[in-house]
Amino acid sequence: MFPFRKHVSGFTSSLRTSSAEAHLPTSVEVGNGSRRPHRKPAILRKISAAQQLSASEVVTHLGQTVVLASGTLSVLLHCEAVGNPKPTISWAKNGAEVQYNDRILLQPDDSLQILAPVEADVGFYTCNATNALGSDSVSIAVTLAGKPLIKASRATLINTKSSAVTVDIGSTVKTIQGANVTISCQVAGVPEAEVTWLRNRIKLPPAYHLHDGSLLIVNVTLSDQGLYSCRAANLRGEVTESTQLLILDPPQTLLQLEDLTTMLLITGPDIPSVLTSPSGTRMVLNPGSSVLIGCPVDGHPTPNITWFYAGQPISMSHNILVAGQILQLLNISDGYQGEFSCLAQNEAGSLLQKTSLTIREYWWSADRLMACSASCGNKGVQQPQLRCLLDRTEVNASHCMEKPKPVLQPVACNRRDCPSRWMVTSWSPCSRSCGGGVQTRRVTCQRLTAIGSSVPMSNEACAQVAKRPVDTQICNRQLCVEWVASSWGQCNGPCIGPRLAVQHRQIFCQTRDGNSVSSDQCSALPRPLSTQNCWTDICGVHWRVSLWTLCTATCGNYGFQSRRVECVHVRTNKPVLEHYCSWRPRPANWQRCNITPCENMECRDTTRYCEKVKQLKLCQLTQFKSRCCGTCGKA
């Protein structure tokens, strides 16, 4: 290893440190008392030449660059820090914690020693000092003579509050608009490297650069987003590290609402809609209707929107439209009443906006009364009229079926004395049931009082108000008629059972003095029967059958037999006309018989009519040829 100043001419500037690495005093003042005041850690920066103990051993403090050579056997990196409480020292290489082993050692004074250094040991070694009040860190580069070395970080920094951010090159930075961003590019190299800054691969003017090689971007906006690269180059080569700068814009209420309002109209032109706000909005709806709730927010990256009801994720039926910006609720009921909110979140922060829905209720009203049941006297009442209302408007009563009905109390009305009026009793029964009778009733003049009593008055008092009702009238003027029946006819109709027949008679409608009239005149009277069953010896009959004759064939499909069937009188046992027995099914008088195959049998006659068949020369017919095989087969 070669000492920093003795062996490398002009190399001091090739190690660029952050502006925070100012030179601090090596001692800490003690207060008036014996106690030292609390203080966060501070690492002592000693920019001086590396001390060469021998040709093979080099000792150096932080803030320097160490160049490895072939004869180097040991490198000792010192780290001194002050602070109260006493800081804890830890070492990292290229951002990762150093893994100690038998070649890389942590000495009792917190120095880091590297024995027999090799090319794999090249990198930036960082000493971190930490106590309860804070931390401090400083780096030293260990490199080979050759292309440059850049101290890079692979961390991701998200800043949503601070107005100034400093990161190492290689990091990903996500920060809010308006912040000042410093990107540190710490470079080591022999020969000394030249540093160039690029944005999206285009070289940046020197106005962006700081004296220590860092890049400062003041008051960042969305237009400053991009890939910032630090390129270090010397005669041996070049190396480039990049940082991605992303600008965060926390969710905020969308000021230009035209787009969201247009989306609401397109999504549901006839559906009521409401927009949420940080302070909250309100909307009143009828049950059974639908509503669109808009969440007017903006931010960068585009916020993720989550909807809540009463502070909990929505469990009721709903639709999410337009990437979460619109919540659609259909057929809402009482269970939808309350606060709906949308939470917009991105890496820069979150924003909660809300609206409250009030659902109008159906309810029974009994605020109207029906007409009074009486104009005077003591019994007049008004019944309350039950109506189903929604927002003071009467609707169909079916909407209130599940609502409890109020108790209805009739209201007394028109409880005053009535004027004199005619009072009548019911008509008496008619003096005759037909042909014109007379009925009467009682007619009096009375006055009904408010307490319910009836006071008799003179007829003149009522005559001034109304004409006196009649007390007599004619009734039952219809003719006196009756049904008249002739004598029953003979019992000789069609038989309907054993000894059972039907007999008939004529039915007439006539007046009581014997004049015939239309049957309609008697329609209100029970009509006598015109037919009835009767007993007669003529119907004492039954079917008589004889024995079956012999079958006309012994086999084949043409054999049949017959018998005699006749209707005979039970008593005389003599035949009578068959229609007397028609009330019972007639037995069959013929049937097929001996229906069995005739194959494999001798040629013989199977019917007794074969001689006639031969005489009539019918043997040539197939059916007779087989049935009269014997006769037809003779010469």
Side-chain angles (χ1 to χ4, degrees):
M1 169 180 287
F2 292 95
F4 182 82
R5 292 187 184 272
K6 291 178 73 174
H7 297 278
V8 182
S9 171
F11 182 62
T12 306
S13 62
S14 66
L15 173 63
R16 310 185 190 278
T17 60
S18 68
S19 59
E21 295 178 349
H23 304 300
L24 299 177
T26 59
S27 62
V28 178
E29 290 183 3
V30 179
N32 294 332
S34 60
R35 293 186 60 186
R36 178 176 297 176
H38 288 283
R39 184 174 177 181
K40 66 180 183 179
I43 297 176
L44 303 182
R45 277 73 165 174
K46 294 183 178 181
I47 303 300
S48 61
Q51 180 182 359
Q52 183 174 359
L53 299 183
S54 66
S56 61
E57 184 176 0
V58 174
V59 177
T60 184
H61 287 84
L62 300 177
Q64 300 185 15
T65 297
V66 176
V67 181
L68 296 178
S70 58
T72 303
L73 299 180
S74 172
V75 176
L76 189 65
L77 307 179
H78 274 300
C79 181
E80 297 179 46
V82 294
N84 185 28
K86 182 181 178 181
T88 300
I89 301 297
S90 63
W91 287 89
K93 176 190 173 186
N94 296 332
E97 183 180 353
V98 171
Q99 301 297 318
Y100 302 108
N101 51 42
D102 56 356
R103 199 174 58 80
I104 300 177
L105 309 172
L106 181 64
Q107 298 299 334
D109 63 350
D110 293 322
S111 297
L112 180 67
Q113 185 174 22
I114 305 173
L115 301 177
V118 294
E119 185 175 350
D121 296 323
V122 168
F124 280 88
Y125 289 82
T126 302
C127 176
N128 298 302
T130 307
N131 69 8
L133 300 180
S135 62
D136 189 17
S137 63
V138 179
S139 299
I140 183 172
V142 175
T143 184
L144 296 172
K147 70 177 183 178
L149 180 67
I150 296 178
K151 180 188 176 187
S153 171
R154 298 295 178 252
T156 297
L157 173 66
I158 300 177
N159 171 52
T160 60
K161 296 180 181 179
S162 178
S163 60
V165 180
T166 300
V167 296
D168 284 331
I169 192 73
S171 306
T172 297
V173 184
K174 299 180 181 180
T175 188
I176 55 176
Q177 294 193 68
N180 295 334
V181 178
T182 301
I183 305 175
S184 175
C185 183
Q186 192 170 340
V187 179
V190 178
E192 182 178 355
E194 179 184 355
V195 174
T196 304
W197 282 96
L198 304 96
R199 177 174 179 266
N200 297 330
R201 298 176 180 169
I202 298 175
K203 185 177 179 180
L204 286 171
Y208 282 87
H209 303 188
L210 296 180
H211 63 85
D212 58 359
S214 299
L215 181 72
L216 174 62
I217 310 168
V218 180
N219 193 21
V220 296
T221 64
L222 285 174
S223 62
D224 291 317
Q225 283 193 137
L227 186 69
Y228 289 83
S229 302
C230 174
R231 182 169 64 198
N234 62 14
L235 296 176
R236 300 293 185 88
E238 68 176 45
V239 63
T240 301
E241 291 286 350
S242 301
T243 284
Q244 185 76 40
L245 176 61
L246 301 172
I247 306 303
L248 301 178
D249 194 7
Q252 55 189 333
T253 302
L254 189 65
L255 298 179
Q256 300 296 327
L257 299 180
E258 290 83 356
D259 292 343
L260 185 56
T261 304
T262 301
M263 290 179 189
L264 289 170
L265 291 174
I266 294 174
T267 305
D270 300 322
I271 300 178
S273 59
V274 62
L275 295 175
T276 59
S277 76
S279 59
T281 57
R282 296 184 63 83
M283 190 169 196
V284 181
L285 297 163
N286 291 334
S289 61
S290 300
V291 66
L292 297 173
I293 304 176
C295 186
V297 295
D298 195 9
H300 186 79
T302 301
N304 181 47
I305 298 176
T306 308
W307 287 91
F308 298 89
Y309 171 68
Q312 300 294 324
I314 292 181
S315 59
M316 59 200 51
S317 176
H318 67 280
N319 294 317
I320 300 296
L321 311 174
V322 193
Q325 282 192 287
I326 297 178
L327 172 67
Q328 182 185 45
L329 302 174
L330 303 174
N331 192 25
I332 60 178
S333 60
D334 293 347
Y336 289 72
Q337 186 159 268
E339 184 179 272
F340 288 82
S341 57
C342 61
L343 178 63
Q345 294 175 298
N346 64 12
E347 291 175 291
S350 62
L351 175 66
L352 184 69
Q353 300 195 137
K354 55 193 175 181
T355 188
S356 292
L357 298 186
T358 300
I359 312 302
R360 296 187 181 101
E361 287 193 61
Y362 294 106
W363 56 284
W364 291 108
S365 171
D367 57 345
R368 290 186 184 177
L369 298 175
M370 297 182 181
C372 192
S373 61
S375 59
C376 59
N378 71 318
K379 294 185 178 180
V381 292
Q382 284 181 292
Q383 295 289 346
Q385 183 180 2
L386 201 59
R387 299 182 303 149
C388 181
L389 300 183
L390 176 65
D391 195 29
R392 302 183 181 277
T393 302
E394 185 172 358
V395 296
N396 192 295
S398 61
H399 294 300
C400 291
M401 295 308 294
E402 297 182 359
K403 302 291 182 180
K405 292 184 178 180
V407 178
L408 302 180
Q409 295 291 345
V411 179
C413 57
N414 297 340
R415 300 294 176 92
R416 58 178 179 267
D417 292 349
C418 292
S420 299
R421 61 181 178 178
W422 297 107
M423 303 292 292
V424 296
T425 62
S426 300
W427 289 106
S428 66
C430 194
S431 60
R432 298 183 62 184
S433 61
C434 60
V438 177
Q439 57 184 168
T440 60
R441 64 182 178 180
R442 186 183 176 193
V443 179
T444 57
C445 181
Q446 296 184 15
R447 179 167 59 86
L448 183 64
T449 67
I451 62 174
S453 60
S454 184
V455 179
M457 304 292 290
S458 65
N459 288 346
E460 290 75 11
C462 290
Q464 297 175 2
V465 180
K467 183 180 179 181
R468 185 181 187 277
V470 297
D471 55 7
T472 303
Q473 70 177 8
I474 299 174
C475 53
N476 292 343
R477 296 184 178 185
Q478 72 275 12
L479 290 174
C480 293
V481 294
E482 59 185 354
W483 290 109
V484 178
S486 65
S487 300
W488 288 105
Q490 293 184 355
C491 187
N492 58 359
C495 297
I496 60 174
R499 299 181 182 276
L500 192 63
V502 178
Q503 60 184 164
H504 304 269
R505 66 177 178 179
Q506 297 287 332
I507 305 297
F508 306 97
C509 179
Q510 65 180 26
T511 62
R512 290 182 179 175
D513 55 6
N515 295 323
S516 296
V517 294
S518 170
S519 296
D520 296 339
Q521 299 286 336
C522 294
S523 59
L525 302 175
R527 179 186 176 92
L529 297 174
S530 60
T531 61
Q532 70 176 8
N533 296 337
C534 54
W535 294 95
T536 175
D537 186 62
I538 295 176
C539 293
V541 293
H542 70 99
W543 292 106
R544 182 172 64 187
V545 296
S546 65
L547 297 176
W548 291 104
T549 62
L550 293 175
C551 189
T552 59
T554 58
C555 65
N557 296 322
Y558 304 101
F560 68 90
Q561 57 187 165
S562 61
R563 65 180 177 180
R564 187 175 183 182
V565 178
E566 55 189 348
C567 181
V568 298
H569 199 278
V570 174
R571 180 171 52 81
T572 63
N573 208 28
K574 292 182 178 180
V576 297
L577 295 176
E578 286 195 354
H579 75 269
Y580 285 106
C581 290
S582 61
W583 53 273
R584 179 176 291 174
R586 187 180 191 279
N589 62 349
W590 78 281
Q591 67 180 7
R592 293 189 178 279
C593 53
N594 292 341
I595 304 175
T596 57
C598 294
E599 292 85 354
N600 301 324
M601 298 184 64
E602 296 179 2
C603 183
R604 59 185 180 84
D605 295 338
T606 60
T607 178
R608 51 185 174 157
Y609 302 115
C610 290
E611 287 297 333
K612 290 289 184 182
V613 169
K614 187 173 182 180
Q615 292 175 6
L616 295 173
K617 298 181 179 180
L618 299 176
C619 283
Q620 63 268 28
L621 298 178
T622 304
Q623 62 268 34
F624 292 121
K625 185 176 182 179
S626 60
R627 294 176 63 187
C628 298
C629 182
T631 302
C632 291
K634 295 177 181 178

